[in-house]
Amino acid sequence: MASPNGGDDFESSLLSFEKLDRASPDLWPEQLPGVSEFAASFKNPITNSPPKWMAELESEDIEMLKELGSLTTANLMEKVKGLQNLAYQLGLEESREMTRGKFLNILERPKK
C-alpha cells in the first residue's frame, strides 16, 4: 500500500542487491559433516551397485534391518531394552566365570 508521502521510496531503499556466493565453504560450512555426501548418494537412485555401507552385509543382516525398520517406536525401544538386559546378563556371567577361573588357578601364567 503506497502512502501519500513516498512509502514506495522507503520500501525500495530497503532492498539489497548484494550477491552471496554460496559456493564458498568458508562462508557456508557444512553444518553436519557427511550430510552432503549422503544426500548426493540419493540423487541418482538408479544404480547397479549397492551403497558402500551395504557391500559387506549378508542376507541375514539385511533381513534384520528390514525387521527393525518395520518396528514401531515402542517395539524398537523394547528391543533395545532387551539387548541391554542381555548385555548385562552376559557381563555378569563373564564375571562369574572369571572369578571361577581365578579360584581354580587356570588363568595363572606357567612358571618358568
Side-chain angles (χ1 to χ4, degrees):
M1 178 170 148
S3 65
N5 50 358
D8 287 333
D9 291 335
F10 176 71
E11 287 179 14
S12 63
S13 71
L14 294 176
L15 292 176
S16 172
F17 298 104
E18 181 180 4
K19 301 283 185 198
L20 297 177
D21 180 18
R22 293 184 178 267
S24 171
D26 295 330
L27 292 175
W28 304 96
E30 189 175 15
Q31 291 182 351
L32 298 173
V35 171
S36 297
E37 181 182 313
F38 180 76
S41 70
F42 287 101
K43 285 185 179 177
N44 188 4
I46 304 172
T47 59
N48 293 335
S49 61
K52 285 186 251 180
W53 60 270
M54 283 189 72
E56 297 179 11
L57 294 180
E58 297 176 4
S59 60
E60 292 174 3
D61 299 328
I62 294 172
E63 288 301 316
M64 181 170 281
L65 282 174
K66 288 179 182 176
E67 177 188 333
L68 293 174
S70 66
L71 294 176
T72 64
T73 304
N75 289 345
L76 188 59
M77 291 301 295
E78 187 176 318
K79 185 84 165 175
V80 168
K81 286 179 184 176
L83 289 172
Q84 287 175 333
N85 288 338
L86 179 61
Y88 179 75
Q89 292 299 323
L90 286 173
L92 289 177
E93 186 177 331
E94 182 181 18
S95 175
R96 281 193 298 267
E97 292 298 320
M98 291 297 287
T99 303
R100 183 175 171 217
K102 186 176 180 181
F103 287 136
L104 294 174
N105 292 325
I106 60 173
L107 300 175
E108 199 172 286
R109 293 185 181 171
K111 295 179 181 177
K112 293 182 181 178

